[in-house]
Amino acid sequence: MDKSALRNAATTILHRDIDGVPHVLMGQRGENAAFMPNKYVFPGGAVDQGDHDIPLCATVGGKCLERLQEGSPRNLSHALLVAGIRELWEETGLILGREGQWAGDIPPDWADFAARGFIPSAEGLSFVFRAITPPGRPRRFDARFFLVDAHHVHGDPSDFSAASDELSHLHWIAISNAKELDLPFITEVVLAEVSQVLRDGLPPKSVPFFKNNDEENLFLRLNS
């Protein structure tokens, strides 16, 4: 597999107010990671083929869905939402879902999630940003960023005991203080957008799209 080939990806930005101050959940990538080593990022990763077949007990609608579909295959939206929920679960141990029993066989990636008695749910997810990694990087992603309030998480949103070791130093940080971390440029841009969205309310008036390819670098707005 060509690891530099462009892959669809999903990132989940959890937010919550602590003492009246908006915070987001971030973690640090390992120093040996091929993509953004040592950087602080939001939980996220590439869409897997199996994400297309995972059931969601609730999904998104309205403008969120329209914007997800803008410039993308219509059948990709479901897989992107699933990937965002899966990556959050794998990297933080936090569950976005509703109580319920799965029908049929449970994929290995979801066995522990299902064993806790939950079916994944995209309730509360809002599409707020899209960015394509510029050419020439060792990994390239067409990433969609989803914002969701931590009250949709089951259990303690600071309990990371079920997390994998992909991200270290998982913690809630005030958005105003996040710039003190070692952040990728695109994460700084997304944080600024998230801060504005939380002030203005959801859904956002438009969704920024950093479109980088071999021909041109564009900053667009998805306005469906």
Side-chain angles (χ1 to χ4, degrees), residues 146-159:
F146 298 100
L147 182 66
V148 60
D149 194 304
H151 76 252
H152 289 286
V153 168
H154 287 273
D156 182 355
S158 294
D159 179 6

Side-chain angles (χ1 to χ4, degrees), residues 102-121:
W102 290 55
D105 296 334
I106 300 171
D109 287 350
W110 292 89
D112 290 340
F113 189 105
R116 284 165 169 76
F118 292 96
I119 300 172
S121 169

Side-chain angles (χ1 to χ4, degrees), residues 76-114:
L76 182 61
S77 300
H78 178 91
L80 287 166
L81 294 165
V82 170
I85 297 167
R86 175 180 53 75
E87 289 287 339
L88 181 72
W89 160 245
E90 292 174 355
E91 295 184 354
T92 71
L94 299 180
I95 289 177
L96 292 175
R98 293 182 183 175
E99 294 183 352
Q101 298 299 313
W102 290 55
D105 296 334
I106 300 171
D109 287 350
W110 292 89
D112 290 340
F113 189 105

Side-chain angles (χ1 to χ4, degrees), residues 19-191:
D19 297 327
V21 177
H23 286 60
V24 289
L25 179 61
M26 304 192 77
Q28 187 178 30
R29 293 183 59 79
E31 63 180 358
N32 296 320
F35 187 70
M36 297 184 177
N38 294 315
K39 298 291 188 180
Y40 278 87
V41 296
F42 307 112
V47 172
D48 289 343
Q49 185 58 41
D51 292 333
H52 293 269
D53 303 318
I54 299 300
L56 287 173
C57 58
T59 189
V60 300
K63 285 193 176 295
C64 183
L65 185 59
E66 291 175 11
R67 289 166 173 172
L68 264 180
Q69 293 172 343
E70 190 171 336
S72 300
R74 294 183 65 85
N75 61 357
L76 182 61
S77 300
H78 178 91
L80 287 166
L81 294 165
V82 170
I85 297 167
R86 175 180 53 75
E87 289 287 339
L88 181 72
W89 160 245
E90 292 174 355
E91 295 184 354
T92 71
L94 299 180
I95 289 177
L96 292 175
R98 293 182 183 175
E99 294 183 352
Q101 298 299 313
W102 290 55
D105 296 334
I106 300 171
D109 287 350
W110 292 89
D112 290 340
F113 189 105
R116 284 165 169 76
F118 292 96
I119 300 172
S121 169
E123 182 179 12
L125 288 171
S126 183
F127 176 42
V128 295
F129 207 94
R130 181 178 176 184
I132 298 178
T133 310
R137 306 293 174 86
R139 300 286 190 278
R140 295 193 66 212
F141 299 99
D142 186 347
R144 283 74 162 185
F145 294 76
F146 298 100
L147 182 66
V148 60
D149 194 304
H151 76 252
H152 289 286
V153 168
H154 287 273
D156 182 355
S158 294
D159 179 6
F160 310 123
S161 58
S164 68
D165 59 0
E166 188 165 347
L167 294 180
S168 62
H169 303 105
L170 284 162
H171 66 289
W172 291 93
I173 185 166
I175 294 178
S176 58
N177 295 334
K179 61 180 179 295
E180 300 170 6
L181 301 175
D182 185 7
L183 302 175
F185 167 74
I186 193 63
T187 303
E188 294 184 30
V189 177
V190 173
L191 276 168

Side-chain angles (χ1 to χ4, degrees), residues 4-26:
S4 65
L6 187 63
R7 299 185 66 189
N8 290 300
T11 294
T12 300
I13 307 168
L14 274 183
H15 74 92
R16 65 192 289 211
D17 278 0
I18 300 176
D19 297 327
V21 177
H23 286 60
V24 289
L25 179 61
M26 304 192 77

